[in-house]
């Protein structure tokens, strides 16, 4: 079986990162009214998608399943780190960027949202690449 190596287009994935950030910020904006369930979880799902796209930028030749595992490990690590409440880490969390990246308190629902976001992004990534692979 020949393995086709496809290198991701970095510009496309940077665009996906930026669009996902914009959607995430809009999901938290007061002037956008979303259904309550979507308003509650959209930000976490989009954050995880952004993590997936960033890993695509860092490892453009990696298989989708590798990127998926990396993004899940990173996201779950961030969430699990919220169980550790050292003062220096809480000081970082109380900055705007620290709050966006590290969050504040552990929630099991966040792990579910991260899984949904990453698996959704992985599905889209896999589907796009599958269409590019020449049939043999």
């Amino acid at each position: 079986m020949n393995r086709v190596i496809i290198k991701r287009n970095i510009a496309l994935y940077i665009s996906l990162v930026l669009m996902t950030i914009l959607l995430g910020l809009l999901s938290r904006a007061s002037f956008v009214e979303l259904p309550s369930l979507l308003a509650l979880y959209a930000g976490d799902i989009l954050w995880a998608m952004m993590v997936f796209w960033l890993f695509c930028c860092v490892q453009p030749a990696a298989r989708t399943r590798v990127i998926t595992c990396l993004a899940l490990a990173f996201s779950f690590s961030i969430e699990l780190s919220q169980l550790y409440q050292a003062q220096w880490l809480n000081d970082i969390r109380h900055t705007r960027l620290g709050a966006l990246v590290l969050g504040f308190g552990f929630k099991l629902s966040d792990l579910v949202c991260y899984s949904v976001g990453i698996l959704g992004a992985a599905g889209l990534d896999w589907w796009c690449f599958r269409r590019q692979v020449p049939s043999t």
Side-chain angles (χ1 to χ4, degrees):
M1 173 167 115
N2 292 338
R3 181 173 173 225
V4 177
I5 306 283
I6 297 174
K7 192 165 179 165
R8 290 173 175 85
N9 179 335
I10 300 294
L12 170 66
Y13 286 90
I14 289 172
S15 298
L16 288 169
V17 167
L18 295 174
M19 286 183 350
T20 306
I21 289 170
L22 179 62
L23 289 172
L25 293 172
L26 283 172
S27 77
R28 303 286 192 207
S30 59
F31 59 87
V32 176
E33 225 172 293
L34 296 172
S36 60
L37 188 66
L38 191 57
L40 188 59
Y41 297 117
D44 293 324
I45 291 170
L46 290 165
W47 181 88
M49 289 181 93
M50 179 204 63
V51 168
F52 182 89
W53 305 136
L54 285 171
F55 274 107
C56 287
C57 292
V58 174
Q59 293 288 329
R63 300 179 92 174
T64 299
R65 79 178 81 161
V66 171
I67 300 284
T68 301
C69 291
L70 289 170
L72 283 168
F74 177 82
S75 299
F76 278 41
S77 296
I78 292 292
E79 190 64 26
L80 291 171
S81 79
Q82 294 170 11
L83 294 169
Y84 182 63
Q85 295 294 317
Q87 187 57 47
W88 68 270
L89 193 51
N90 287 336
D91 291 342
I92 294 171
R93 287 182 178 122
H94 288 302
T95 65
R96 167 84 82 206
L97 184 59
L100 288 171
V101 174
L102 299 176
F104 287 99
F106 175 82
K107 289 190 242 173
L108 191 57
S109 63
D110 287 351
L111 296 177
V112 174
C113 289
Y114 299 160
S115 298
V116 168
I118 290 167
L119 292 175
L124 182 61
D125 183 68
W126 178 82
W127 182 76
C128 288
F129 277 139
R130 184 180 166 105
R131 296 184 72 207
Q132 293 178 14
V133 174
S135 41
T136 54

